[in-house]
Amino acid sequence: MITLILFGPPGSGKGTQAARLVEKYGFIHISTGDLFRYEMGNDTPLGLKAKEYISKGELVPDAITVGMLENKVNQHPDAKGFILDGFPRTIAQSEALDALLSGKNSEVTKLIALDVDEEEIVQRILKRAETSGRKDDSDESIIRNRIEVYKSETTAVFDYYADKNKSKQISGMGSIDEITDRLFSEIDPLI
Ligand code: ADP
């Protein structure tokens, strides 16, 4: 089983690219952001809890996020691969993921990080807000906070997997097709 972590700051294009990877490789796409939005849309207890953090641009606590991720992975016992998008975002989440996979005699295959300029990110997210209806996208101070949280808590995840020789950074600038081709070049040799 292949487990790819699609990594990068908010607005770096992970969701867009994940859809293309699913189409080519047939892996299961798990986006913790999408899962939280589904829960919030249905006003579930989990959604209501998550909203307290997401609306401020903070991370949802690890225990909540990890439990949700584990449930989702366990729903797909026969998956040939997973594309994780937006998870792990902390070292604790990375350790929990490694433990989950090792319980399945598996491990993270590779982390691929999309590198995008900070100002480009802010502009992309504000543009996305015009159609996404996401409240956390429409306020620049919340966007900036998400970027700060990414720098202070999430970039360490890149180093965590780099220590295991699993991290790779590619450019997330340019056209959507160009970025997809860069990802295919990284992933094809793993299949
Ligand atoms: P983006 O990458 O554009 O910030 P996401 O859709 O991935 O958007 O996530 C939206 C929000 O959901 C995040 O700002 C955070 O509050 C919450 N969230 C998503 N994934 C996680 C995670 N792994 N750990 C904690 N919080 C998360």
Side-chain angles (χ1 to χ4, degrees):
M1 187 175 77
I2 288 183
T3 300
L4 299 172
I5 300 172
L6 196 51
F7 195 75
S12 56
K14 301 185 293 287
T16 304
Q17 296 298 336
R20 289 166 164 231
L21 301 181
V22 167
E23 203 177 311
K24 174 161 181 183
Y25 300 108
F27 296 158
I28 304 289
H29 174 208
I30 302 182
S31 157
T32 42
D34 286 350
L35 293 174
F36 283 133
R37 280 186 285 280
Y38 176 80
E39 299 287 337
M40 291 190 291
N42 288 293
D43 283 332
T44 64
L46 173 60
L48 293 171
K49 191 77 202 152
K51 199 181 227 164
E52 292 173 27
Y53 300 91
I54 292 177
S55 61
K56 292 187 256 178
E58 295 171 4
L59 294 183
V60 179
D62 287 331
I64 298 175
T65 308
V66 166
M68 183 178 73
L69 184 281
E70 286 176 350
N71 282 338
K72 196 73 193 173
V73 169
N74 288 332
Q75 281 168 15
H76 297 279
D78 299 323
K80 57 179 172 169
F82 289 100
I83 297 170
L84 304 182
D85 154 8
F87 185 95
R89 265 171 146 107
T90 63
I91 296 293
Q93 290 180 15
S94 310
E95 289 169 349
L97 174 64
D98 287 353
L100 173 70
L101 293 176
S102 108
K104 300 178 188 300
N105 292 317
S106 188
E107 58 180 58
V108 168
T109 312
K110 192 165 189 170
L111 176 154
I112 308 176
L114 299 174
D115 183 31
V116 182
D117 296 346
E118 187 163 329
E119 283 318 306
E120 164 93 8
I121 285 169
V122 175
Q123 295 318 316
R124 283 188 193 179
I125 295 176
L126 287 170
K127 181 143 184 47
R128 180 170 72 185
E130 293 168 13
T131 52
S132 72
R134 282 177 55 173
K135 291 207 184 70
D136 62 337
D137 278 356
S138 55
D139 180 328
E140 189 164 337
S141 67
I142 295 175
I143 297 171
R144 299 258 175 216
N145 192 44
R146 284 155 58 197
I147 295 172
E148 287 314 309
V149 170
Y150 176 77
K151 289 183 193 162
S152 62
E153 299 198 46
T154 305
T155 52
V157 171
F158 183 92
D159 300 333
Y160 174 90
Y161 287 106
D163 285 345
K164 301 175 194 290
N165 286 318
K166 291 182 174 182
S167 290
K168 172 78 194 232
Q169 177 156 289
I170 64 169
S171 170
M173 302 288 282
S175 73
I176 292 176
D177 282 345
E178 282 166 345
I179 300 162
T180 305
D181 284 341
R182 286 177 205 136
L183 285 165
F184 287 170
S185 307
E186 293 298 328
I187 299 168
D188 282 347
L190 305 172
I191 308 294

